[in-house]
Amino acid sequence: MIERLLPARVACADTYDADAPPGTLYPEEAQLVAKSVDRRRHEFAAVRACARRAMAALGVPSAPVLRGHRGMPLWPEGTVGSMTHCVGYRAAVLAWAAEVRAVGIDAEPNEPLPPGVWDLISVPSERARMPMGEDDPAIHWDRLLFSAKESVFKTWFPVTRIELDFQEADISFRTSPGSGAEGTFTAELSLSAPGMPRTFEGRWLVDDGFVVTAIALPASPSV
């Protein structure tokens, strides 16, 4: 599913089967979740199995994916990537840094956010564009907004190492012609950083009970 949102130069791998074998962890990866509950260890291993498949598709030797600050995945040298997991779905993507500046993906269940979260993650302009009282029952726009902002953060932070609050990205969604369940979005950021645009363009999709968002910043305008 995630490959529907990203250009061909980004290698993608995902899985839906929550009961599928999670794959083998490298010792240094296993150490990171040695004290975690079984569900967390399974998610951790399953999404890294996806990462290994993305590496193979890109022609990158298999390698551990460790964690940096704020849980940021540490990818093989010369590559950029992103991972996501929720109940029933996990995905990983990878690209050469010479072709893609940064990439961010996120998947969430297509369900309403818990009470009170909408006000914490949205700005007034977003609330005006997406009044929750008129929510499309097929698309939970509040959850889609949350997912898009997660993708923005995953794209922004590995490059800048600057924290980005939910209130510092203003997102507008557009629906693709002839489809009510996929489209594009624009994120206008209130922060700036060297080498990073103030505007991110991404894609979104609602399918199989999930909302999925993705952003891929080209390494240069010509790519």
Side-chain angles (χ1 to χ4, degrees):
M1 180 162 58
I2 193 66
E3 73 279 357
R4 293 161 62 182
L5 303 181
L6 289 162
R9 60 181 174 271
V10 179
C12 303
D14 62 2
T15 180
Y16 293 87
D17 189 358
D19 298 321
T24 303
L25 293 174
Y26 285 89
E28 52 267 58
E29 291 176 326
Q31 186 176 4
L32 295 177
V33 288
K35 298 181 179 180
S36 300
V37 299
D38 288 346
R39 177 180 171 182
R40 171 59 183 150
R41 288 199 299 270
H42 181 92
E43 291 174 340
F44 185 93
V47 77
R48 276 159 177 78
C50 289
R52 243 79 86 184
R53 287 167 50 204
M55 290 177 194
L58 197 66
V60 175
S62 179
V65 182
L66 303 181
R67 292 188 303 220
H69 184 56
R70 290 291 305 270
M72 178 184 70
L74 301 178
W75 298 100
E77 184 176 358
T79 67
V80 296
S82 184
M83 299 189 296
T84 186
H85 59 79
C86 63
V87 176
Y89 184 77
R90 72 274 307 163
V93 302
L94 194 68
W96 294 111
E99 297 181 344
V100 176
R101 173 70 164 150
V103 61
I105 64 170
D106 186 73
E108 304 284 337
N110 185 27
E111 301 171 354
L113 288 172
V117 177
W118 168 247
D119 290 336
L120 293 176
I121 69 164
S122 60
V123 297
S125 55
E126 292 167 333
R127 295 174 203 140
R129 289 192 293 268
M130 296 181 292
M132 290 300 100
E134 301 175 12
D135 196 12
D136 182 342
I139 302 174
H140 292 285
W141 292 96
D142 54 346
R143 184 73 71 161
L144 185 61
L145 180 69
F146 178 86
S147 178
K149 293 202 175 188
E150 285 289 300
S151 286
V152 168
F153 182 85
K154 292 178 180 180
T155 305
W156 165 271
F157 185 76
V159 177
T160 67
R161 300 298 200 274
I162 299 173
E163 301 287 343
L164 186 68
D165 189 79
F166 283 112
Q167 304 288 328
E168 292 170 324
D170 185 347
I171 292 181
S172 303
F173 292 103
R174 296 173 297 279
T175 302
S176 297
S179 171
E182 63 181 289
T184 61
F185 66 89
T186 300
E188 300 287 349
L189 307 184
S190 60
L191 296 184
S192 61
M196 291 292 277
R198 291 280 293 272
T199 301
F200 288 180
E201 299 292 338
R203 297 192 61 82
W204 64 271
L205 172 69
V206 178
D207 197 9
D208 288 337
F210 302 100
V211 299
V212 186
T213 57
I215 299 169
L217 297 182
S220 68
S222 61
V223 174

